[in-house]
Amino acid sequence: MLFASFTTFAYNDVEADANYAPAVEVLSALEILKGDDKGNFNPDNTITRAEAAAVIVRTLGWEEAAKGAAGATQFTDVPADHWAAGYINIATEAKIIKGYGDGKFGPNDLVEYQDAITMMVRALGYEPAIGAAGYPTGYLTKAGELGLTTNVNGTNGVAINRANVVQMAFNALDVPTMSQSGFGTLTNYVIN
């Protein structure tokens, strides 16, 4: 029934039978993603770090927080008037996306498959569950366990496309978040 209310929305370049079409329709209706001014979604286009920050922040429901966080950033390559400054500020403050350690964020750099997975796992709060497996194996494994990679096709070391990012964000809508409960020796993590 939920899907039926979104089926009237469409992009010129998204076939109704594409495996990611339901994800595109739902996330577009929820204003988590946007197409271009020509009515296209551009499913095969790759995604930048700035765009990934925006998609993840919107998926978490933090759009208003991003608007409030717009302005100066800690990164020399993200000016205060950058369209994604608020998203980048929120995503970095939440430790979802990190800078490069040299004062730069790389807003126009492409996101590789394993990095998109890592960002989404962090966004959902599961980084403490990664353990010794580390990056990228621990994140890829956890993403599979959570169902984030269902219908997502990607290859480590290769830039991820918009169709796969939207499918991953769509899958995340059904994943419970994990959060910290307690501090110090009383630290526990709970699934919400």
Side-chain angles (χ1 to χ4, degrees), residues 83-162:
W83 72 268
Y87 298 111
I88 291 168
N89 282 335
I90 293 293
T92 55
E93 181 67 28
K95 298 183 175 153
I96 295 167
I97 304 174
K98 300 176 183 179
Y100 289 133
D102 62 356
K104 294 183 179 178
F105 181 79
N108 298 320
D109 293 352
L110 298 180
V111 176
E112 293 182 353
Y113 173 74
Q114 73 278 2
D115 297 325
I117 296 282
T118 299
M119 292 174 199
M120 194 59 75
V121 169
R122 286 178 181 158
L124 294 170
Y126 285 89
E127 186 159 41
I130 299 308
Y135 170 86
T137 305
Y139 292 94
L140 295 167
T141 301
K142 181 53 71 178
E145 291 171 3
L146 297 171
L148 290 175
T149 56
T150 302
N151 294 324
V152 174
N153 300 309
T155 303
N156 288 345
V158 177
I160 192 167
N161 66 26
R162 290 173 53 87

